[in-house]
Amino acid sequence: MNYLFLDNGFEEIEAITVVDLLRRAEISLTTVSLTGKDLVLGAHNVGVEADCLFDNVDFSDAEMLILPGGQTQLGKHSGLCELLRQHNENNKMIAAICAAPSVLGQLGILAGKQATCYPGFEAALGESYVGGLVVESKNVITAKGPGLASDFAFCIIEHIKGSDVADRVYDTAQY
């Protein structure tokens, strides 16, 4: 199972685009609220109902953890931070876009890896920051920002299901 985490202030395009495209690729994906409530408000006051609440999930089946960016408090959620650390220690995949890679940098997850992020968050990535639009390095995928949500999603799809599935979803999403 793959999990996408929602906190108040998330970038709607980064979350919804990823959810839509991964589900078109028939990739198991569950959205998880970090707020303690099913309804999570995005950065532009778009409400999204999460599939479940963080405290009600057993993440032992987690394959990939996905973090959309935005004006969120992802790095202050102790349960998520511990989950990210454990996932990284087990060399499992983590994907983050926009401001969210800064959380990975602050947790030390980007050590020895390359990454990108939204302009203004580079310092949190330290020596890992290489710029670029979408960067895959070891067990981490990062992307620069909202305009790259589709590219980010296609990189995740390619990693999980291969380029043939990513190409098929890309082709069907162009109509």
Side-chain angles (χ1 to χ4, degrees):
M1 178 62 66
N2 303 285
Y3 295 95
L4 184 140
F5 297 90
L6 299 172
D7 189 22
N8 288 324
F10 71 91
E11 275 291 343
E12 293 94 342
I13 192 170
E14 295 169 1
I16 299 305
T17 299
V18 171
V19 170
D20 179 87
L21 292 173
L22 267 63
R23 289 184 177 169
R24 287 176 191 245
E26 300 178 356
I27 293 172
S28 298
L29 179 68
T30 298
T31 57
V32 180
S33 170
L34 298 175
T35 69
K37 298 179 182 177
D38 292 327
L39 186 65
V40 184
L41 288 179
H44 303 96
N45 291 317
V46 175
V48 173
E49 186 173 343
D51 296 322
C52 57
L53 304 178
F54 185 89
D55 292 337
N56 297 337
V57 179
D58 172 4
F59 294 102
S60 61
D61 65 346
E63 295 171 21
M64 183 178 292
L65 307 178
I66 305 169
L67 306 176
Q71 300 171 353
T72 69
Q73 300 295 312
L74 296 172
K76 293 186 179 178
H77 190 283
S78 60
L80 175 62
C81 290
E82 183 56 30
L83 178 63
L84 289 165
R85 283 187 192 103
Q86 289 175 358
H87 211 67
N88 184 60
E89 287 172 10
N90 291 317
N91 204 34
K92 292 185 174 183
M93 290 301 296
I94 300 171
I97 184 171
C98 195
S102 66
V103 174
L104 305 181
Q106 292 164 353
L107 294 173
I109 290 171
L110 297 178
K113 300 171 185 147
Q114 297 180 330
T116 192
C117 63
Y118 193 77
F121 290 88
E122 301 90 348
L125 276 60
E127 293 179 7
S128 296
Y129 179 74
V130 295
L133 302 179
V134 179
V135 176
E136 185 171 358
S137 181
K138 298 182 182 175
N139 66 315
V140 175
I141 298 169
T142 55
K144 189 173 182 178
L148 294 158
S150 294
D151 299 276
F152 178 63
F154 287 121
C155 185
I156 293 169
I157 293 168
E158 186 170 342
H159 180 82
I160 294 172
K161 288 244 181 155
S163 59
D164 288 345
V165 173
D167 290 345
R168 178 184 54 78
V169 173
Y170 179 84
D171 289 343
T172 60
Q174 297 305 307
Y175 295 103

